[in-house]
Amino acid sequence: MFFSENFLQQWNPIIKAGCVIHDVLSDFLVRYLKQVKIILLMLAHLSLIGFLFPQFGRSFGNFAQNLLLVILLVSPLSKLFRMKLLYQLMSLRRELGIWFAYMAIVHSLSYILNPEWFGTFIALFLSQPLSMMPRYLFGVLALILTLPLLITSNTLSLTILKGNWKKLHWLVYPLFAFMLLHIFLPRRLGIGNDIFGFLQASLAFGAYVLLKMLAKNNFLTPLREVNEYVAQRYVEYRSSSV
Ligand code: HEM
């Protein structure tokens, strides 16, 4: 055993609280999943009002980044920890994806529609896009990949595209890589800064790939032990609350 029984038992109160919160949220989603989906879609459309507040452009970008992280992490985490709530959250990915795309568009346009910013960072490079500042080139590439995913986030596209829909939505991975490069690459040019920014983006992407691998096969003994311990505590909690 990697962790001693004593060490794991110290966490019982927190694990119990986690079981209670898990079941409250999970029961809520069982009852109100449809309403939650409608509210998420309404919030996504409401957030388009952000067009009127370009001064919050950066915050919209941060919000878009967090939505994409939730969408990308919920699937491997659900496979790794096999929690009902995580599986339920997976059924909200379409609504969260639409919200992500709207926020990314509002964020991007808050800069693109700013004549000074556009003139300095975009207009000069339209004839030679590859000479654009890497940070913004990857932002533009991330936005370009967001559009087909947004346009096909509906049942009609799923029906028409069939198996190709999943292939198309595989684009979310290069989108994620471009977003990380857009976030971590520096505003100030300089080879040192670029390498450091690239390393940060690669580390973040690498961590995601590791999580996907663990979701396929949990080869980390300590994590497996914690997983099994928490699963046993959850079974005990359920049987004691029946
Ligand atoms: C999917 C598309 C995009 C996402 C998710 C995204 C996300 C983000 C995030 C999270 C930040 C904040 C980073 C920080 O706090 O350091 C940011 C900053 C920024 N983004 Fe984006 N972005 C996207 C596309 C774009 C596009 C297309 C443009 C413009 C053409 C753009 C222009 C900017 C600017 C100007 C900043 C402010 C930081 C700076 O001055 O460099 N972004 N973006």
Side-chain angles (χ1 to χ4, degrees):
M1 285 274 285
F2 187 86
F3 298 109
S4 72
E5 191 68 20
N6 272 349
F7 172 79
L8 291 172
Q9 278 171 359
Q10 287 172 30
W11 296 87
N12 282 0
I14 293 176
I15 295 171
K16 175 111 188 261
C19 295
V20 175
I21 295 167
H22 172 276
D23 280 12
V24 167
L25 292 175
S26 173
D27 292 348
F28 178 84
L29 278 180
V30 167
R31 226 172 287 156
Y32 302 110
L33 186 68
K34 210 156 163 253
Q35 291 83 345
V36 171
K37 280 174 172 278
I38 293 168
I39 290 168
L40 282 175
L41 268 186
M42 281 165 63
L43 288 172
H45 288 86
L46 262 176
S47 65
L48 290 171
I49 289 175
F51 282 126
L52 306 173
F53 306 96
Q55 66 273 34
F56 301 122
R58 197 184 180 129
S59 311
F60 297 140
N62 283 317
F63 192 68
Q65 164 203 303
N66 296 332
L67 284 170
L68 187 62
L69 284 175
V70 171
I71 295 164
L72 287 171
L73 290 175
V74 75
S75 170
L77 288 176
S78 64
K79 290 189 186 93
L80 190 57
F81 296 115
R82 296 188 302 280
M83 286 163 63
K84 183 178 172 193
L85 183 61
L86 289 171
Y87 286 116
Q88 289 170 299
L89 289 177
M90 280 178 62
S91 62
L92 298 176
R93 285 180 301 177
R94 178 188 288 181
E95 291 74 20
L96 294 172
I98 291 168
W99 201 358
F100 157 75
Y102 284 175
M103 284 283 81
I105 293 167
V106 168
H107 159 76
S108 310
L109 289 180
S110 67
Y111 294 102
I112 293 171
L113 298 178
N114 170 339
E116 201 192 314
W117 192 89
F118 183 80
T120 316
F121 294 104
I122 304 284
L124 294 173
F125 307 99
L126 285 178
S127 55
Q128 301 168 301
L130 293 180
S131 57
M132 195 187 289
M133 225 168 137
R135 178 180 176 90
Y136 303 132
L137 177 63
F138 287 115
V140 172
L141 290 172
L143 184 68
I144 291 171
L145 291 186
T146 302
L147 302 176
L149 301 186
L150 172 63
I151 294 162
T152 54
S153 288
N154 48 67
T155 311
L156 181 66
S157 303
L158 257 170
T159 320
I160 295 170
L161 295 172
K162 297 190 175 64
N164 293 324
W165 188 93
K166 212 168 172 148
K167 289 185 191 138
L168 177 73
H169 278 250
W170 191 85
L171 285 177
V172 75
Y173 300 117
L175 189 170
F176 180 47
F178 291 153
M179 183 191 82
L180 290 173
L181 289 163
H182 170 61
I183 294 167
F184 287 116
L185 285 175
R187 285 185 213 93
R188 280 176 300 286
L189 290 175
I191 193 73
N193 291 338
D194 280 354
I195 292 172
F196 185 60
F198 190 78
L199 277 177
Q200 284 177 299
S202 310
L203 264 178
F205 197 82
Y208 180 67
V209 172
L210 175 66
L211 182 64
K212 294 280 272 183
M213 288 164 63
L214 284 170
K216 272 214 167 67
N217 164 28
N218 185 355
F219 52 82
L220 282 181
T221 312
L223 188 59
R224 248 199 338 270
E225 277 179 22
V226 169
N227 224 349
E228 277 150 24
Y229 184 79
V230 173
Q232 282 161 13
R233 297 292 78 70
Y234 182 67
V235 171
E236 276 170 20
Y237 161 74
R238 293 290 295 188
S239 56
S240 66
S241 53
V242 171

